[in-house]
């Protein structure tokens, strides 16, 4: 009986160390604006916790918001903060009004973010942006961002999977089923590409195709979820 005490002590020690090293993050929603702003509204998650980890996550979210508000080539971005990008967006609108005073079309931008999944290993965030810079229709775009919970590093899509080719075969089945009732004609039905946006959710792996992503002319957003029980062994990150 006395021999069991060291074993219990060792187990307790390792459990303690595991809890101690576990990075725990929480999120709050923040509204970001700038002086004299009437055109842009930004509501995004803000990570709270380990400084190094949350700085990486929040910086990546900010970078994506800034890119969404960029007018023109992304290579010419000059804004360093979301507030600066909002100010620039408003200045671009004032310049537009000066050049085209007869235009009655208002500019607007709405960007919202939400946590769609969070576990000990991975955090998935969806950023939805709607931007209208004077056209008949604005542009709606949804971006998924996946982060390693313990480091805050952004995870490329190909690193989500142990076997991406096997995952593609399953995803193709769900894709075909999703578009069978839609008026979509693919140029080459033998070539299947995974969506640019892939994320974890409470029910499985979500794939989302934005308009123009599959074919050259606009379609509705295409989205489907593959249950974890079908692709769990193919994933690099646990869903719990």
């Amino acid at each position: 009986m006395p021999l069991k005490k060291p074993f219990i002590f060792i187990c307790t020690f390792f459990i303690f160390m595991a809890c101690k090293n576990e990075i725990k993050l929480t999120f709050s929603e923040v509204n970001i604006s700038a002086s004299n702003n009437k055109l842009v509204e930004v509501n995004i998650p803000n990570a709270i916790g380990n400084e190094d980890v949350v700085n990486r996550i929040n910086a990546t979210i900010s970078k994506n918001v800034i890119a969404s508000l960029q007018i023109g080539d992304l290579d010419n971005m000059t804004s360093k903060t979301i507030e600066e990008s909002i100010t620039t967006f408003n200045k671009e609108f004032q310049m537009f009004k000066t050049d085209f005073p007869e235009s009655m079309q208002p500019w607007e931008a709405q960007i919202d973010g939400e946590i769609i999944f969070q576990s000990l290993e991975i955090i998935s965030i969806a950023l939805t942006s709607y931007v209208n810079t004077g056209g008949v229709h604005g542009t709606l775009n949804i971006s998924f961002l996946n982060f390693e919970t313990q480091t805050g590093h952004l995870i490329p899509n190909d690193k989500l999977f142990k076997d991406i080719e096997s995952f593609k075969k399953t995803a193709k089945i769900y894709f075909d089923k999703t578009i069978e009732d839609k008026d979509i004609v693919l140029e080459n039905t033998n070539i299947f590409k995974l969506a640019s946006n892939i994320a974890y959710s409470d029910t499985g792996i979500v794939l989302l195709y934005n308009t123009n992503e599959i074919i050259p002319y606009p379609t509705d957003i295409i989205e489907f979820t593959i249950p974890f029980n079908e692709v769990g062994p193919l994933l690099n990150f646990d869903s719990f």
Side-chain angles (χ1 to χ4, degrees), residues 15-27 46-55 57 118-121 123 148-152:
I15 291 173
F16 170 77
M17 290 303 294
C19 294
K20 183 178 180 180
N21 294 329
E22 178 186 314
I23 300 296
K24 295 183 178 180
L25 303 178
T26 59
F27 288 86
N46 180 67
I48 304 169
N50 178 278
E51 183 175 1
D52 291 336
V53 175
V54 302
N55 283 347
I57 293 174
Q118 184 173 1
S119 73
L120 295 177
E121 293 190 358
I123 298 167
E148 292 182 359
T149 304
Q150 300 301 306
T151 66

Side-chain angles (χ1 to χ4, degrees), residues 101-161:
E102 73 283 357
S103 175
M104 301 297 293
Q105 182 68 38
W107 284 27
E108 61 177 322
Q110 173 81 40
I111 300 176
D112 295 297
E114 64 173 326
I115 311 298
I116 58 176
F117 186 84
Q118 184 173 1
S119 73
L120 295 177
E121 293 190 358
I122 187 170
I123 298 167
S124 295
I125 295 175
L127 288 178
T128 301
S129 67
Y130 175 80
V131 179
N132 191 330
T133 54
V136 177
H137 301 290
T139 301
L140 176 66
N141 188 79
I142 300 174
S143 300
F144 291 158
L145 305 174
N146 298 294
F147 298 95
E148 292 182 359
T149 304
Q150 300 301 306
T151 66
H153 289 302
L154 189 66
I155 306 170
N157 282 348
D158 62 328
K159 300 301 181 183
L160 293 172
F161 309 104

